Amino acid sequence: MLGTILSLRPKASDWLFSVKTFAASILALYIALAFDFDRPVWAMATVYIVAHPLSGVLASKAIYRVLGTVLGAVAAVVLVPNLVSAPILLSLVLAIWVGGCLFLSRLDRTPRSYVFMLAGYTAAIVGFPCVGDPTAVFATAIARFQEISLGIVCATVVSHTVFPRHIGPVIAARIDGWMGDVAKLADQSFDPQTDAEALQNDRARIAADLGELHGLALHLGYEKSGFSGRTRQLQALQSVVAALLPVLYAIHDRLVALKTEQGDLPDDVKGILAGISAHISAPTHDRARIWQLHREIDAFADRVAGSRDWAGLLQINLANRLHRLIDFHDDCRTLWDGIRAGDVPADVLDRWQESARAGALHRDYDAAFRSGLTAVIATLIVCGFWILSGWPSGATAAMMAAVGSSIMSFLDNPVSALKGFIRYTALAVAVVLVYSLVILPGIDGFALLVMAFAPYFILLGVLMATQQTYGFGLAMLVNVVMILNVDTAYSSDVSLLLGGGIASLAGFGVAAIVTAFVRVVPVDSFIRGLVHANWRDIAGIARGTLNIARMVMIRRLLDRQGLILPRLAMAASQRETLIRVMPEVSIAASLYDLRRIRLFVDPMIRARLDVLLRNIARHFEARFDDFDRAPDPRILSEVDSILRLANDLVDATQRQKLLIPLVALRRMLSKTDAPTLDRMAGQVASTTSLSPRMGEIA
């Protein structure tokens, strides 16, 4: 950490953030001291806890903290007086409350999760110190609410009035970057020679950004920028960008297959691709050009509509995907232009509204349960030792066990962060001793106190402006504030300070140990869990038991891909797993379409489709126990058989609706050969087909 700190080169905005935060904390402390609040340091510490360089993030975090504090305080007021005579039961109930709230917090992948986490450990902070005097719990709850609210008001007022930095421009810059990334990805996808792994990395990076911005957009309702109140529209835009990724993947795949079949792309295909590329890269949105491109694709589709060979079927599928790409990109540009102008067309917004909701994001129930269980166990262990030993500082240790189990729970492996927090807490105790024994005895008046605090707090506040040093800066500031416990009159009880510091270290230590045994999951296992979740959804789609909208399904699968990407640095062996995910999105979409189309096709084809869907579902379910299981060779044979039946249909509309998902599915099952579409030759092929290479992509 020391090397990271020394290598920092803070910008002027970082120093401004630190000075603003310090000013807000001093304002909160001054008001709390003036009104003789019970714990003025709570107000000061709250300023640093909610501090953020972006005013919208700070405001939303502040509101969620108030709501969580109210819920936790109410829980403590209800539980402590009624259960104080049964300390074991009280400890159990408070521990379950902390764990249950943390479980709900981990399921909510938006900034609102802060409400549940705060509700959990606030009950511990208010409740445990009042075990010896349950009559004080209501006064303690009121005091915590007052002081936290004061800190939040001070932080919010200063952030929004003194050189505010809004989140709207940050999101706008990110979306403009998306538009450039999509244009670049389209150009690369239109070239069959583009390296597949480079394409996959670009798609995965965009998918990862989508998950991050889904949460950032929620903060827009808490600031007055040009994008205030545009959260729903921005989330709909993110859904459209997510929808573009599998379409571009499918186009690239069909172009690769077509070039393999024919040696080169048809001239009209090259012309259409060049036109689409120019349209996507254009600085303005030309709607007349959109209709012209659709007409060119229709002319191309009419030329190949009667094709019966594999190259012709690939082109039928390609035409469909090109239409979809233009439509999705049109919605993308329409939404973005409408958001900037403050007028988003209702029909476009409605089309993407469902897939923009939180239900389209992955929820990790296993990680949430482990986090909650960790908080329960850690809190109970400390409470048990406190009850048996009569430890005077046991309440502080129990509080810190609950807090330590909660605040780092969003990390895959919180242990290293908790270890760091323990080290920083120990350093903070040393700083407190210097202030308490050397500096504060000579302080006479609030002005001198501010001058004594300013160098340390402003310097450490700068570290909070950078992600790499945020944890160190926050720990060194909040722990110094809380342990120093500044009040209206100076008092220095070294034994009390050391007792509180040791108890804090013990609480965090227990939280770290329990986390290491219960919460931590190896990165490889975490990635496999995400892949298993995808397989579970694909099996559910094939069986018809997962009833969600098509774009919600695609968004959820892509969200998991975005979660896999940042973890590959710690699990390089799983890179092949990431490469499988995008084809699985295409498989899921094809199965979704086939399940819907089967209701309107010939009964014989419907029966064959049902067999195919069941076998694919069984394959993905079997892979839960055998990660690299190769599919049953009959699956490829069944697809080829149905493809031949669909290819011979007289009804042109029904034929095309069947061929489009079947061709896509056939390409995902095997990229190394083409199906035999002749009826008689197909009967021989179905008896001699080898196991498909589905294992590498499915």
Side-chain angles (χ1 to χ4, degrees):
M1 179 56 69
L2 180 60
T4 304
I5 294 173
L6 293 176
S7 66
L8 284 180
R9 298 295 180 268
K11 302 186 291 291
S13 58
D14 298 336
W15 288 105
L16 177 61
F17 162 72
S18 181
V19 171
K20 286 169 57 177
T21 305
F22 177 67
S25 70
I26 289 299
L27 177 62
L29 179 63
Y30 178 80
I31 295 173
L33 290 172
F35 284 90
D36 198 23
F37 284 180
D38 290 342
R39 294 287 300 277
V41 292
W42 278 354
M44 187 178 184
T46 296
V47 172
Y48 279 98
I49 291 171
V50 302
H52 196 280
L54 300 174
S55 57
V57 176
L58 184 149
S60 66
K61 192 176 180 182
I63 291 173
Y64 296 144
R65 186 171 183 84
V66 169
L67 293 175
T69 299
V70 171
L71 288 174
V74 169
V77 169
V78 170
L79 296 175
V80 173
N82 292 302
L83 299 176
V84 70
S85 58
I88 295 177
L89 181 59
L90 176 60
S91 300
L92 177 62
V93 172
L94 280 176
I96 291 174
W97 172 265
V98 174
C101 289
L102 187 57
F103 172 78
L104 296 176
S105 174
R106 293 286 286 116
L107 288 182
D108 189 341
R109 288 178 51 205
T110 70
R112 288 189 299 265
S113 64
Y114 200 45
V115 173
F116 300 110
M117 185 174 70
L118 259 293
Y121 70 68
T122 295
I125 290 174
V126 173
F128 284 129
C130 297
V131 169
D133 182 11
T135 60
V137 68
F138 183 76
T140 303
I142 293 297
R144 182 164 177 82
F145 173 73
Q146 288 176 332
E147 287 146 11
I148 283 178
S149 298
L150 172 61
I152 285 170
V153 169
C154 292
T156 304
V157 168
V158 172
S159 176
H160 282 257
T161 58
V162 181
F163 302 108
R165 184 184 173 198
H166 297 302
I167 194 174
V170 175
I171 292 179
R174 187 75 62 86
I175 294 173
D176 285 335
W178 275 358
M179 296 303 180
D181 290 343
V182 168
K184 177 185 174 184
L185 184 62
D187 280 339
Q188 293 174 325
S189 300
F190 293 164
D191 181 3
Q193 301 298 327
T194 302
D195 179 66
E197 185 171 354
L199 271 177
Q200 173 57 36
N201 289 337
D202 288 342
R203 285 190 295 260
R205 180 170 46 79
I206 295 173
D209 288 342
L210 288 171
E212 178 186 352
L213 277 179
H214 182 88
L216 281 178
L218 288 175
H219 298 297
L220 286 172
Y222 301 90
E223 67 172 21
K224 292 184 178 180
S225 69
F227 297 110
S228 180
R230 304 280 195 274
T231 296
R232 289 172 58 247
Q233 292 92 328
L234 282 167
Q235 290 179 342
L237 175 61
Q238 293 162 33
S239 290
V240 187
V241 175
L244 284 169
L245 299 180
V247 174
L248 287 171
Y249 169 83
I251 290 172
H252 178 73
D253 177 80
R254 306 305 176 266
L255 293 174
V256 170
L258 193 57
K259 185 167 184 178
T260 301
E261 282 292 302
Q262 297 188 327
D264 196 8
L265 300 179
D267 290 338
D268 49 357
V269 171
K270 291 180 180 178
I272 292 171
L273 295 176
I276 294 175
S277 181
H279 168 68
I280 291 176
S281 301
T284 58
H285 193 41
D286 186 354
R287 302 198 67 84
R289 182 57 180 151
I290 292 174
W291 291 114
Q292 177 61 32
L293 288 170
H294 277 306
R295 285 193 292 270
E296 292 176 10
I297 297 170
D298 283 335
F300 163 63
D302 290 341
R303 180 179 68 79
V304 298
S307 301
R308 304 284 168 172
D309 62 336
W310 182 232
L313 300 190
L314 288 170
Q315 291 176 82
I316 292 172
N317 184 280
L318 176 63
N320 174 270
R321 295 303 185 256
L322 291 174
H323 275 307
R324 187 169 291 179
L325 171 63
I326 293 173
D327 287 338
F328 286 178
H329 186 264
D330 180 25
D331 282 353
C332 188
R333 291 292 294 266
T334 300
L335 280 167
W336 185 219
D337 291 344
I339 289 169
R340 287 185 292 192
D343 183 21
V344 176
D347 60 328
V348 179
L349 182 61
D350 291 343
R351 190 153 52 238
W352 296 97
Q353 192 61 40
E354 186 174 3
S355 59
R357 293 176 180 146
L361 301 180
H362 172 69
R363 290 186 176 183
D364 193 335
Y365 287 91
D366 178 66
F369 176 77
R370 286 174 177 270
S371 296
L373 183 61
T374 297
V376 172
I377 295 174
T379 306
L380 285 178
I381 289 174
V382 175
C383 286
F385 180 79
W386 176 23
I387 292 170
L388 293 174
S389 65
W391 186 17
S393 299
T396 300
M399 287 190 304
M400 291 302 104
V403 173
S405 301
S406 301
I407 59 174
M408 303 295 180
S409 62
F410 64 93
L411 298 173
D412 288 344
N413 184 359
V415 175
S416 59
L418 286 171
K419 288 180 179 178
F421 207 89
I422 292 169
R423 290 195 298 270
Y424 309 150
T425 301
L427 286 174
V429 171
V431 173
V432 166
L433 290 175
V434 173
Y435 265 106
S436 181
L437 300 178
V438 179
I439 299 175
L440 292 186
I443 297 296
D444 182 17
F446 191 77
L448 287 177
L449 180 67
V450 174
M451 293 176 63
F453 278 165
Y456 177 82
F457 280 76
I458 292 176
L459 183 62
L460 271 293
V462 171
L463 301 182
M464 289 182 58
T466 304
Q467 187 66 36
Q468 294 92 325
T469 55
Y470 172 82
F472 175 80
L474 180 65
M476 291 300 292
L477 288 167
V478 173
N479 279 317
V480 166
V481 170
M482 296 302 297
I483 299 173
L484 196 58
N485 197 22
V486 174
D487 210 331
T488 52
Y490 169 74
S491 62
S492 178
D493 187 336
V494 176
S495 63
L496 184 63
L497 290 176
L498 289 176
I502 292 171
S504 297
L505 292 173
F508 273 104
V510 171
I513 293 171
V514 176
T515 298
F517 283 99
V518 178
R519 167 70 176 82
V520 176
V521 175
V523 177
D524 285 2
S525 298
F526 185 84
I527 292 175
R528 289 194 172 214
L530 292 171
V531 175
H532 283 167
N534 270 1
W535 293 347
R536 193 175 298 109
D537 282 354
I538 293 172
I541 293 164
R543 291 194 182 279
T545 56
L546 182 63
N547 297 314
I548 58 176
R550 189 178 193 274
M551 285 313 306
V552 172
M553 168 200 70
I554 289 175
R555 181 77 190 275
R556 188 183 296 175
L557 298 179
L558 286 172
D559 180 56
R560 294 183 184 124
Q561 181 179 16
L563 293 174
I564 290 173
L565 179 64
R567 292 166 172 85
L568 287 180
M570 297 176 287
S573 62
Q574 294 294 329
R575 177 162 293 278
E576 185 69 21
T577 299
L578 180 66
I579 295 175
R580 296 174 179 175
V581 176
M582 187 60 73
E584 288 172 358
V585 176
S586 184
I587 289 174
S590 298
L591 296 177
Y592 187 98
D593 293 340
L594 288 174
R595 177 151 288 282
R596 183 181 57 183
I597 293 167
R598 61 176 287 281
L599 301 174
F600 309 102
V601 299
D602 179 89
M604 181 179 67
I605 296 180
R606 184 187 310 152
R608 302 289 287 273
L609 284 174
D610 288 342
V611 172
L612 172 66
L613 292 168
R614 284 197 300 271
N615 284 336
I616 291 177
R618 291 191 189 104
H619 164 69
F620 281 101
E621 289 165 350
R623 294 188 73 178
F624 295 157
D625 299 319
D626 184 359
F627 194 80
D628 295 314
R629 176 188 176 92
D632 189 324
R634 289 176 299 179
I635 292 178
L636 189 62
S637 298
E638 288 165 357
V639 172
D640 287 351
S641 177
I642 300 171
L643 196 56
R644 286 190 289 271
L645 291 174
N647 200 27
D648 292 338
L649 286 173
V650 176
D651 186 330
T653 301
Q654 188 177 115
R655 175 177 179 267
Q656 181 165 332
K657 286 183 177 180
L658 267 173
L659 286 177
I660 288 171
L662 283 171
V663 169
L665 183 60
R666 180 55 167 78
R667 277 293 299 168
M668 296 307 102
L669 293 176
S670 176
K671 293 181 179 291
T672 58
D673 64 348
T676 304
L677 297 175
D678 179 78
R679 180 72 65 89
M680 295 304 296
Q683 292 176 358
V684 175
S686 65
T687 63
T688 60
S689 60
L690 300 176
S691 175
R693 298 272 325 258
M694 184 175 170
E696 65 178 346
I697 55 174

